[in-house]
Amino acid sequence: MSSSRRARVILLSGPSGSGKSSLAARTGLPVLALDDFYKDGDDPSLPALAGGGTDWDSPASWNSAAAVAAVAALCAEGAADLPVYDIAASAATGVARLDLGGAPVFVAEGIFAAEIVAGCRELGLLADALCLRGRPSTTARRRLLRDLREGRKSVGFLIRRGWHLMRAERAIVARQSALGCHPCAGPEAAARITACTEPADAAVPVEA
């Protein structure tokens, strides 16, 4: 993909369980799963919880530099080899290739997407940055059902984490908004994503 035709990224953030993956899939656009850039469980730089264990909800558990590099490669080349991360195993287990197929815009979604807004903007890669928000109780229920279905962690861990995240949800949204993401519900986010796919002059009437 030439520099004159390089793609741009829509960063989709929000609390865990807010519906990012589902919304990204419904757009029909290529999707970069940013959760695949978690650090491996034996990485010595992982942040620890006060009571023991790893704080997987801290941005320090995530490789932001690798995520920005992947976004930049996709925007410039139209394809990139990406890690495949197994959350239950706390480790990258393989590599997969994502090809944009010539799409001028793609979605990069994950709970830490807001952490790379500034980096993507500085590189001229950003089409939009959004933060999904909703009722904390709804998010918590959706998150727990998903995590239990996928066997992401032990049941006890998921319940403790879910309670903590539900209480912290408004602060999480506020932080992601401060980092440059527009807070909105699903319908508005979908509309903004659609607008990014339209030609720049699509809304400009043609003069007779």
Side-chain angles (χ1 to χ4, degrees):
M1 183 177 291
S2 67
S3 59
S4 62
R5 295 179 54 205
R6 72 177 182 176
R8 293 193 301 159
V9 65
I10 299 168
L11 294 175
L12 182 59
S13 69
S16 176
S18 58
K20 300 178 294 300
S21 298
S22 298
L23 175 58
R26 290 197 302 271
T27 67
L29 295 172
V31 177
L32 170 60
L34 293 174
D35 286 354
D36 283 325
F37 293 90
Y38 266 113
K39 297 175 182 177
D40 285 350
D42 59 358
D43 190 314
S45 69
L46 284 172
L49 292 167
T54 299
D55 184 359
W56 295 107
D57 294 302
S58 166
S61 69
W62 187 69
N63 193 334
S64 60
V68 172
V71 169
L74 285 167
C75 288
E77 305 296 335
D81 291 325
L82 306 169
V84 176
Y85 194 90
D86 185 332
I87 292 178
S90 300
T93 56
V95 175
R97 189 160 183 83
L98 176 60
D99 192 321
L100 301 186
V105 179
F106 66 98
V107 177
E109 63 87 12
I111 63 172
F112 300 128
E115 304 296 323
I116 61 173
V117 170
C120 290
R121 181 179 288 120
E122 289 171 5
L123 294 172
L125 308 177
L126 192 64
D128 204 351
L130 308 169
C131 172
L132 287 184
R133 66 177 179 185
R135 290 187 176 183
S137 59
T138 300
T139 303
R141 181 170 62 253
R142 184 188 296 124
R143 177 175 55 244
L144 181 60
L145 290 174
R146 177 203 65 194
D147 291 351
L148 289 173
R149 182 177 64 250
E150 298 180 4
R152 292 191 169 194
K153 300 291 181 183
S154 70
V155 174
F157 176 89
L158 294 177
I159 291 174
R160 291 191 301 272
R161 175 178 181 254
W163 175 248
H164 166 74
L165 289 178
M166 185 173 70
R167 297 180 65 188
E169 181 159 331
R170 289 185 175 85
I172 292 170
V173 171
R175 171 180 165 79
Q176 295 182 356
S177 301
L179 288 171
C181 289
H182 173 70
C184 55
E188 182 183 353
R192 287 177 68 114
I193 291 171
T194 297
C196 289
T197 68
E198 297 174 347
D201 59 352
V204 179
V206 177
E207 299 260 339

